[in-house]
Amino acid sequence: MSVAAIETQGLSKTYDNGRGCQNVTITVGKGEAFGFLGPNGAGKSTFVKMLVGLISPTSGSASLMGQRIGTLEAKSLIGYLPELYRYQEWLTGQEVVKLHARLSRVESSSIERRVREVLEEVGIGIRSRDKVKHYSKGMQQRLGLACALVADPAIVFLDEPSSAMDPIGRSEVRSILKRLKDQGKTIFLNSHLLEDVEMLCDRMALLNNGVILRHGSVSEVLHKRMSWLFKVGGYSPFLLSWLEERTGLVIKAAIDVKRDANTFSPAQAEDSSVVWLEAELDSEEQVGWLNSLIMEQGMTLYEVSRKKERLEEWFVNALSGLNHRGER
Amino acid sequence: MGIIMGMTWKEMLRKRVMVLTLLMTLIFLLAFWFVASSLGKHGIPEGRWGMGNSELLIAKFTNGTIILTLGFFFGSFVLAFLAIFSSFSAIAGEAEQGVLQALLPRPLPRWKWYLGRWLGFIMLGLGYALLLYVAIMLITKFHAAIPMDPTAWILSFLLFASAVPMLVTVSMLGSGWFSALGNGVFMTMLYGAGWLGGMIEKLSISIGLEPEIMNSLKNMTGVISLLMPVDGMQRKMLSELFNLKELGGVVSLQTAAFGINSFANVPSGTFVMYGAGYTIVAFLLGLWIFGRKDL
């Protein structure tokens, strides 16, 4: 029988203030990418810290590849990028990664090569001889990623791995994670970024107030249809009701929409040259179908895009009507 | 453990703690040279006219004792503050910054990290203590006289340097308990209290208080010395260096020249044993607390 990469049974940590996480039971298979989503203070970092041996559980048990958490055997399997990442600022980037390599018992003959490789991989090769105190937050996060990867771990725990990075940095981190996944590494990703989890993870769990509300495949947990936005010209309210009748979908219209902020206000749209339509669709085939219907009615289609849903909004929707134990 | 010890040394060097300490020590030693030069002439007439060899020796030895007492009075301060300020944020500071959270998930037992840091601080502190001890002795020898007993040198050095493991150990224990800033304040106050206790004791003897007042002060200073034995160890160190028992009244060390640094009420051998036990218990307690600490 294959041993799970990560297995927890009723893992709990209760702090003096009553917070923490309660009775978390999950299994992550080898080579799987697992996303852990939740709002601030949900207990995500507490859970990861228990798995990497930084805090002791109040109750429950957990193992990494069959090794009890906190043991040296379990620790030798992991790479960890903490949420609060700070490194010895009096060392150079290269020295920090080398220190982590030596502590992780990387063979001394290959340390130099391995350190150089990971520093290149995370994009700080050229500045690896600078002292850490001269690094920006994003650079330090890249350095943290290099430290997490230097020992070529079987399981990588990443707590908000791109929180301090610019869009280019985020995209690079996604590529690195994708590459790790392709190499068969097990990835445990704590994130606020729904996009990252959707893009990388096979399965995920939603944590709130220290309790797992849902877990399963990403589509199961997200349990939602995608919203799409269509920028059209030649719109009239009549056309909206025609489209709704024809497709059976609920379609909203607005004059303007800030897509990232989700300020779609449907009541505002009247006869106008250009408006935005929003519809929840099951598949990309439906997008094509709606496109053709829009154009069939003589409207001009300027742009089609998937609406970015912010985690906060998704949480409001996902958690609405649930009590703190996740029961309706 | 060796990796952590090496990292500690690198930290002390890169943060310029040692460079600054050595620079300030050099300034102190220069000043001490001139103080020793002036005090070394006390009671010795120009050209030693009218003095016999034994009288000259006693005068030089008395001056040497005064100079050494002053030198080690300052030396013990510097050593104590180096020990405290190098280690007071060893755990709390790194945990607050997030450095420990990245290091400790590595396959390294916590006790090895703790011992590595402890040894790193201790070895640097002991090296510095040796340098300071030798410099003070040589300067005094040049301007006056010092006891020429190697056993007394070794014993007194060990007692002088005992401040390093004692303070580093308590400082690391506090660092596992309090915040970095809180521990800095705690350690300074604790050391200050120990120093004040010793001072009150010396002062009460030198001004000759009534027995009742003396007893109540002794009880109070005794408790303070138990809480922080460093000052008591320093007094014991001077007593071992001057080999008070052997002097047999040849040199009066209770004279006004010594003032608050008089040599009455020297801690016993049992107190030294207590100091060693105190350090061991603090070390084990610190290790235990760190092993269970949530980061």
Side-chain angles (χ1 to χ4, degrees):
Chain A
M1 196 180 75
S2 167
V3 180
I6 304 168
E7 191 163 23
T8 70
Q9 274 296 327
L11 201 63
S12 303
K13 176 73 187 181
T14 311
Y15 292 115
D16 294 340
N17 62 5
R19 297 193 74 88
C21 59
Q22 307 302 321
N23 206 24
V24 178
T25 300
I26 57 161
T27 305
V28 180
K30 281 181 188 167
E32 201 176 358
F34 192 88
F36 215 47
L37 272 175
N40 286 337
K44 304 189 301 291
S45 292
T46 299
F47 182 69
V48 172
K49 282 180 172 185
M50 282 193 279
L51 294 182
V52 301
L54 284 173
I55 58 179
S56 350
T58 312
S59 62
S61 62
S63 63
L64 305 176
M65 306 271 190
Q67 305 291 340
R68 196 164 54 84
I69 54 166
T71 59
L72 294 187
E73 290 77 16
K75 284 179 172 184
S76 61
L77 296 166
I78 62 174
Y80 170 56
L81 171 66
E83 182 188 22
L84 179 66
Y85 51 91
R86 281 285 289 276
Y87 299 89
Q88 293 82 348
E89 54 184 33
W90 37 272
L91 290 177
T92 65
Q94 197 179 43
E95 287 171 331
V96 170
V97 183
K98 207 179 276 183
L99 173 70
H100 281 257
R102 291 174 70 198
L103 289 175
S104 304
R105 301 169 192 170
V106 174
E107 224 172 281
S108 51
S109 59
S110 57
I111 283 184
E112 291 289 340
R113 179 185 52 79
R114 185 67 194 138
V115 168
R116 210 170 35 245
E117 273 173 12
V118 283
L119 284 168
E120 288 294 334
E121 189 174 7
V122 300
I124 46 175
I126 201 164
R127 291 197 54 197
S128 60
R129 285 172 193 276
D130 288 358
K131 293 245 175 79
V132 175
K133 67 179 171 191
H134 300 304
Y135 283 13
S136 66
K137 275 190 170 180
M139 288 280 287
Q140 288 204 34
Q141 200 158 29
R142 285 167 188 260
L143 182 67
L145 196 55
C147 291
L149 302 181
V150 71
D152 196 21
I155 309 172
V156 187
F157 289 96
L158 303 164
D159 201 346
E160 307 287 355
S162 55
S163 57
M165 289 185 194
D166 55 23
I168 298 168
R170 284 185 181 186
S171 157
E172 284 172 4
V173 168
R174 276 185 205 143
S175 307
I176 293 170
L177 298 184
K178 186 89 181 48
R179 209 156 46 237
L180 288 173
K181 194 184 169 194
D182 293 342
Q183 287 167 10
K185 308 279 183 206
T186 305
I187 300 172
F188 191 97
L189 178 67
N190 253 8
S191 183
H192 285 102
L193 300 170
L194 197 56
E195 262 179 294
D196 283 358
V197 173
E198 280 182 299
M199 204 169 288
L200 183 81
C201 298
D202 308 302
R203 292 194 309 126
M204 63 173 282
L206 166 64
L207 194 77
N208 191 42
N209 287 327
V211 180
I212 287 199
L213 299 184
R214 294 177 195 167
H215 69 110
S217 71
V218 172
S219 56
E220 275 169 14
V221 176
L222 295 181
H223 191 61
K224 69 182 179 95
R225 297 151 87 195
M226 300 298 169
S227 284
W228 289 80
L229 292 168
F230 302 82
K231 189 179 181 184
V232 298
Y235 165 85
S236 81
F238 163 75
L239 291 172
L240 182 65
S241 42
W242 182 85
L243 274 174
E244 283 189 321
E245 201 174 296
R246 186 72 193 274
T247 59
L249 298 167
V250 177
I251 302 174
K252 295 183 277 184
I255 294 167
D256 192 19
V257 56
K258 288 173 184 163
R259 278 168 288 174
D260 286 339
N262 285 305
T263 53
F264 197 94
S265 42
Q268 307 300 315
E270 286 178 10
D271 281 2
S272 169
S273 56
V274 178
V275 295
W276 288 90
L277 300 180
E278 183 192 322
E280 278 192 359
L281 303 174
D282 288 325
S283 63
E284 292 198 0
E285 284 73 32
Q286 279 194 327
V287 179
W289 177 49
L290 201 57
N291 282 350
S292 60
L293 287 176
I294 287 168
M295 288 192 285
E296 197 179 289
Q297 289 305 306
M299 290 188 272
T300 314
L301 187 63
Y302 293 115
E303 189 183 326
V304 180
S305 57
R306 218 184 89 184
K307 187 179 168 188
K308 285 180 187 167
E309 190 171 26
R310 288 202 313 171
L311 189 59
E312 292 82 353
E313 188 191 359
W314 180 71
F315 271 121
V316 171
N317 293 331
L319 305 178
S320 60
L322 299 179
N323 64 19
H324 76 287
R325 293 263 158 217
E327 297 150 346
R328 287 202 185 269
Chain B
M1 199 166 68
I3 301 169
I4 300 298
M5 210 158 70
M7 186 190 81
T8 305
W9 292 340
K10 202 176 261 186
E11 178 183 8
M12 300 282 275
L13 293 173
R14 294 262 175 102
K15 284 184 172 173
R16 296 182 190 157
V17 177
M18 284 316 289
V19 175
L20 277 173
T21 308
L22 290 174
L23 194 71
M24 294 311 290
T25 305
L26 190 69
I27 294 169
F28 156 70
L29 290 175
L30 274 174
F32 183 63
W33 173 275
F34 291 109
V35 171
S37 158
S38 304
L39 287 174
K41 292 169 192 154
H42 172 69
I44 302 172
E46 199 82 28
R48 299 168 190 177
W49 191 85
M51 272 188 116
N53 273 347
S54 57
E55 276 176 294
L56 179 67
L57 192 66
I58 290 170
K60 282 181 94 174
F61 192 82
T62 308
N63 290 346
T65 312
I66 296 168
I67 296 167
L68 283 177
T69 307
L70 281 176
F72 285 120
F73 180 71
F74 176 82
S76 63
F77 260 119
V78 183
L79 196 60
F81 283 117
L82 178 69
I84 291 172
F85 289 113
S86 60
S87 57
F88 80 97
S89 67
I91 298 169
E94 293 202 353
E96 283 163 17
Q97 286 183 344
V99 174
L100 271 187
Q101 284 84 338
L103 272 186
L104 289 179
R106 296 289 168 198
L108 171 81
R110 285 196 180 191
W111 69 264
K112 278 194 177 177
W113 183 92
Y114 193 88
L115 191 59
R117 290 293 268 171
W118 189 82
L119 283 173
F121 293 131
I122 298 281
M123 287 169 81
L124 272 177
L126 290 182
Y128 175 73
L130 183 64
L131 185 85
L132 195 59
Y133 182 88
V134 170
I136 290 172
M137 293 289 273
L138 285 178
I139 290 173
T140 311
K141 170 113 178 61
F142 190 84
H143 295 291
I146 58 167
M148 297 304 285
D149 176 3
T151 314
W153 292 346
I154 294 168
L155 270 176
S156 62
F157 170 71
L158 290 176
L159 285 164
F160 175 63
S162 69
V164 176
M166 199 175 276
L167 288 169
V168 166
T169 306
V170 181
S171 185
M172 282 185 71
L173 164 67
S175 183
W177 226 324
F178 308 120
S179 67
L181 184 63
N183 191 42
V185 173
F186 166 75
M187 280 308 296
T188 311
M189 300 279 274
L190 187 65
Y191 174 73
W195 180 82
L196 187 68
M199 212 47 145
I200 292 170
E201 200 169 318
K202 291 171 201 166
L203 203 65
S204 60
I205 291 163
S206 67
I207 58 176
L209 292 170
E210 292 86 345
E212 267 180 39
I213 302 172
M214 194 81 149
N215 276 342
S216 83
L217 278 179
K218 262 191 176 175
N219 289 339
M220 194 183 75
T221 54
V223 172
I224 294 173
S225 291
L226 291 178
L227 285 174
M228 176 38 71
V230 166
D231 192 72
M233 299 295 252
Q234 296 303 314
R235 271 180 287 147
K236 181 75 178 165
M237 171 250 167
L238 287 174
S239 121
E240 287 298 328
L241 179 64
F242 301 138
N243 215 337
L244 292 182
K245 282 180 210 151
E246 302 295 320
L247 280 177
V250 176
V251 176
S252 172
L253 299 179
Q254 312 300 337
T255 60
F258 290 94
I260 53 170
N261 292 315
S262 67
F263 290 90
N265 208 8
V266 171
S268 63
T270 315
F271 184 81
V272 177
M273 296 298 286
Y274 169 78
Y278 174 94
T279 308
I280 292 167
V281 169
F283 178 79
L284 293 175
L285 192 61
L287 203 59
W288 184 73
I289 287 173
F290 182 62
R292 299 166 61 91
K293 189 175 173 65
D294 285 340
L295 292 162

